[in-house]
């Protein structure tokens, strides 16, 4: 799991799957993951966010789930072909947790 905030204009790249902040919206784009598919729904976007932009990403080699502001919005995408190695490219601090570590951390915040 990766946890980070995005400012307007910033993006994270997870094996070609892009998570972008455009104003007060989050957009995901898997076009680079499926370059040969034309006309498919490859870009998703949230409605306007009202309270920040905290991103939590769960990823494996076939699925990426993006949780925005503790589940205010969730975007889930199949991403076949993303590879066995998932790397987050972003020019800021990203906290990476195993699911167990995240669960323990979350329980401690209650």
């Amino acid at each position: 799991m990766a946890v980070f905030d995005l400012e307007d204009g910033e993006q994270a790249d997870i094996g070609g799957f892009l998570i972008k902040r455009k104003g007060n919206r989050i957009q995901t784009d898997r076009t680079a993951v499926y370059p040969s598919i034309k006309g498919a729904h490859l870009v998703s976007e949230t409605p306007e966010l009202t309270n920040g932009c905290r991103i939590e990403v769960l990823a494996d080699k076939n699925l990426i789930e993006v949780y925005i502001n503790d589940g205010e919005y969730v975007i889930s995408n199949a991403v076949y072909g993303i590879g066995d190695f998932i790397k987050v490219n972003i020019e800021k601090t990203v906290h990476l947790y195993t699911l167990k570590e995240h669960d323990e951390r979350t329980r401690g915040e209650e």
Side-chain angles (χ1 to χ4, degrees):
M1 170 176 276
V3 179
F4 52 90
D5 294 311
L6 286 178
E7 301 297 326
D8 188 22
E10 290 183 325
Q11 71 178 24
D13 180 342
I14 303 173
F17 180 89
L18 301 179
I19 303 169
K20 307 173 187 179
R21 180 165 178 185
K22 292 187 169 191
N24 287 327
R25 296 176 188 267
I26 294 297
Q27 182 184 82
T28 61
D29 184 347
R30 58 189 176 149
T31 303
V33 178
Y34 296 108
S36 63
I37 296 177
K38 305 294 183 220
H41 179 79
L42 301 175
V43 177
S44 298
E45 186 174 273
T46 66
E48 289 279 325
L49 301 173
T50 57
N51 191 19
C53 186
R54 183 171 187 262
I55 306 291
E56 295 178 50
V57 180
L58 292 173
D60 69 22
K61 62 183 177 181
N62 294 320
L63 178 70
I64 294 182
E65 293 186 314
V66 180
Y67 295 85
I68 300 106
N69 294 337
D70 297 317
E72 179 182 0
Y73 296 101
V74 178
I75 300 173
S76 297
N77 289 128
V79 288
Y80 304 109
I82 201 167
D84 293 329
F85 181 72
I86 297 170
K87 180 179 177 184
V88 179
N89 293 317
I90 187 171
E91 293 183 10
K92 61 179 7 182
T93 301
V94 175
H95 300 282
L96 298 173
Y97 304 98
T98 65
L99 290 179
K100 181 179 178 186
E101 290 170 334
H102 181 264
D103 287 345
E104 289 170 355
R105 227 177 134 258
T106 302
R107 276 191 227 106
E109 294 176 359
E110 294 176 352

